[in-house]
Amino acid sequence: MLNLTKTTGLAALGAMLALPARAQETVGGVATEAVAEAVAATVDKGDTTWMITATILVLGMTLPGLALFYGGLVRSKNMLSVLMQVFVIACTMMILWVVYGYSLALNGGGPFDAFIGGFSRLFLAGVTPDSTVATFTEGVEIPEYIFICFQMTFAAITPALIVGGFAERMKFSAVLLFCVLWSTFVYLPIAHMVWYGDGYLFQLGALDFAGGTVVHINAGIAALVGCLVLGKRIGFGREALTPHSLTMTMIGGSLLWFGWFGFNAGSNLEANGGTTLAVINTFVATAGATLGWMFTEWAAKGKPSLLGVVSGAVAGLVAVTPAAGLIGPMGAIVLGVIASVVCFYFVTSVKNALGYDDSLDVFGIHGIGGIVGSIGTGIFVSPALGGIGVDGYSMAGQVWIQFVGVVITIVWCGGVSFLLYKLVDMLVGLRVTPESEREGLDLADHGERAYVY
């Protein structure tokens, strides 16, 4: 079994594929396993260039993609507050990542190595321009700095996704404090368990190509808990809280799709055939989900909407994330369609029935889409269904492993997120005053307007 010091979304694939036996060597300052046969490690300029490109694409998902997507969905009086939250959260997470996040998430050495890493890379100690990390091809490596940056963009966008659950009613100071604590006590342990070679879920054999559990289920559950703890927005269920600019939302959603190619295909760590599989799946799963949502909404409501089309696209992107490099294109289409229909049901029927105010449907799309995608990966990875297969694969066994990974993520994220919301409420208070909420957070928190008439 492959055992890497640091890894990304293909980690579980590397763990399950039949790969060469490895002997001990040191990569990035930590003992790891190296190919027993004498293979000279090489760093290819093409791989490095691709990873730089993928990293920048993922940044574009967040800034401006996610910011504009969320900004268009809120009322005009809260547009700048959402842009501000996404922008500052991303910057904060980048700093935390290089200070301690990378060390705890993707390195070993701690006493609880199955669940969290150690401090061997604290403040990026020991990392130089000559440091390299292994990829998933024997003897091929990439510079450690670009690996750090690529994973940093994942750490930046995940807490930024959460703000959609409590948009228009949470203090800016509380948002920042919560995201710092959440990243430390939720994101880093889950990332370590899923993507680190000795992590618990990695060793269990859970497949997560690019972040179905680590990013989307994590963010979706935290958003659901947040909207429940904070309560509903003033006027929710009594007055229309409609998006102020679906034009902005469409632009942001399109940028999300554009940047998602870096998110999914970059998780292959190299520029090769596996990368192209992730690329085509990111195309067709999203297209299938878009059409699936559109026709479902058309049948249910009598008219297809732009908001529905963009929401369906995001649902497809979320669902294919854990599966992008593991399943075939036909499987990706089916997975995208299934996810869009299930997500549509949750953001309409279930949300209305239960009455929770998940402002921008983070749980309904990211949480539910991530669950469908993660479990669906266990099905569509089957070679009989066009997937690449994994060593010793059985559909029932792999689906069970995927289910266990989903449950662990939900339980850990849900429980710890609840405690962190309560802690932040005690320290600085979670919710703005009713007067500030009616006025809008743009003026109340930031003293400026998105639009001057």
Side-chain angles (χ1 to χ4, degrees):
M1 182 174 286
L2 179 62
N3 179 16
L4 299 176
T5 306
K6 308 165 212 56
T7 179
T8 67
L10 253 184
L13 174 60
M16 305 267 309
L17 288 174
L19 293 173
R22 294 186 169 233
Q24 286 293 318
E25 73 169 2
T26 298
V27 177
V30 181
T32 66
E33 294 182 351
V35 179
E37 298 83 4
V39 177
T42 60
V43 175
D44 185 87
K45 290 181 179 179
D47 293 333
T48 303
T49 302
W50 161 239
M51 290 308 300
I52 293 171
T53 303
T55 300
I56 295 170
L57 285 170
V58 181
L59 175 62
M61 287 176 63
T62 313
L63 305 170
L66 180 65
L68 292 178
F69 179 74
Y70 276 178
L73 289 173
V74 298
R75 290 166 288 179
S76 59
K77 63 184 180 180
N78 295 310
M79 169 70 161
L80 292 184
S81 71
V82 172
L83 299 182
M84 183 78 166
Q85 288 170 13
V86 173
F87 202 112
V88 175
I89 287 169
C91 293
T92 303
M93 295 307 110
M94 291 176 191
I95 300 302
L96 295 182
W97 184 252
V98 297
V99 172
Y100 64 84
Y102 173 61
S103 187
L104 289 174
L106 298 174
N107 289 270
F112 304 101
D113 204 31
F115 305 102
I116 193 68
F119 296 105
S120 63
R121 282 293 191 251
L122 197 65
F123 297 99
L124 301 187
V127 182
T128 72
D130 296 324
S131 303
T132 60
V133 297
T135 66
F136 301 99
T137 297
E138 182 179 319
V140 177
E141 299 181 349
I142 58 173
E144 189 170 10
Y145 273 132
I146 194 57
F147 179 75
I148 293 169
C149 290
F150 181 68
Q151 286 291 337
M152 180 172 66
T153 59
F154 282 60
I157 195 172
T158 305
L161 289 170
I162 300 171
V163 305
F166 46 67
E168 302 192 299
R169 59 197 189 275
M170 190 166 172
K171 291 180 180 179
F172 182 64
S173 58
V175 170
L176 289 185
L177 179 56
F178 172 78
C179 286
V180 169
L181 295 172
W182 186 88
S183 175
T184 303
F185 295 104
V186 178
Y187 181 84
L188 297 182
I190 295 296
H192 185 83
M193 284 191 281
V194 173
W195 287 339
Y196 175 69
D198 289 328
Y200 177 76
L201 292 175
F202 182 108
Q203 289 293 317
L204 191 64
L207 299 172
D208 190 352
F209 188 86
T213 51
V214 179
V215 177
H216 298 295
I217 297 175
N218 240 354
I221 295 300
L224 176 63
V225 174
C227 77
L228 293 174
V229 171
L230 268 81
K232 303 171 185 178
R233 287 169 290 177
I234 295 174
F236 179 79
R238 300 190 306 275
E239 59 187 69
L241 306 177
T242 55
H244 89 280
S245 177
L246 289 179
T247 303
M248 288 287 188
T249 296
M250 189 273 176
I251 294 170
S254 300
L255 288 170
L256 279 169
W257 191 355
F258 179 75
W260 221 291
F261 288 100
F263 200 79
N264 283 349
S267 291
N268 194 48
L269 295 186
E270 306 168 61
N272 58 23
T275 310
T276 64
L277 177 61
V279 168
I280 192 171
N281 285 341
T282 304
F283 271 116
V284 298
T286 312
T290 299
L291 297 176
W293 189 298
M294 184 188 74
F295 285 116
T296 302
E297 183 182 42
W298 204 341
K301 298 185 176 182
K303 293 181 181 179
S305 69
L306 176 64
L307 177 57
V309 163
V310 178
S311 298
V314 175
L317 289 165
V318 169
V320 80
T321 294
L326 305 172
I327 67 176
M330 299 303 108
I333 295 172
V334 175
L335 182 61
V337 172
I338 293 172
S340 68
V341 173
V342 175
C343 289
F344 174 81
Y345 174 74
F346 266 86
V347 303
T348 54
S349 300
V350 174
K351 181 180 176 180
N352 292 334
L354 298 181
Y356 58 87
D357 186 11
D358 178 7
S359 305
L360 310 183
D361 293 316
V362 185
F363 171 69
I365 293 178
H366 291 272
I368 297 302
I371 291 170
V372 172
S374 294
I375 295 176
T377 300
I379 298 172
F380 291 104
V381 72
S382 169
L385 298 177
I388 68 169
V390 290
D391 190 39
Y393 174 78
S394 75
M395 186 177 293
Q398 191 61 50
V399 168
W400 173 251
I401 292 172
Q402 299 300 109
F403 176 77
V404 170
V406 167
V407 170
I408 288 174
T409 303
I410 291 172
V411 171
W412 180 259
C413 180
V416 177
S417 295
F418 177 79
L419 294 176
L420 294 178
Y421 280 117
K422 291 297 185 180
L423 176 61
V424 171
D425 194 23
M426 291 173 55
L427 294 175
V428 299
L430 283 176
R431 189 156 182 163
V432 299
T433 64
E435 294 75 21
S436 295
E437 188 172 342
R438 292 190 181 95
E439 180 184 37
L441 303 190
D442 289 2
L443 280 175
D445 272 359
H446 308 295
E448 52 188 351
R449 296 180 184 272
Y451 308 102
V452 179
Y453 301 99

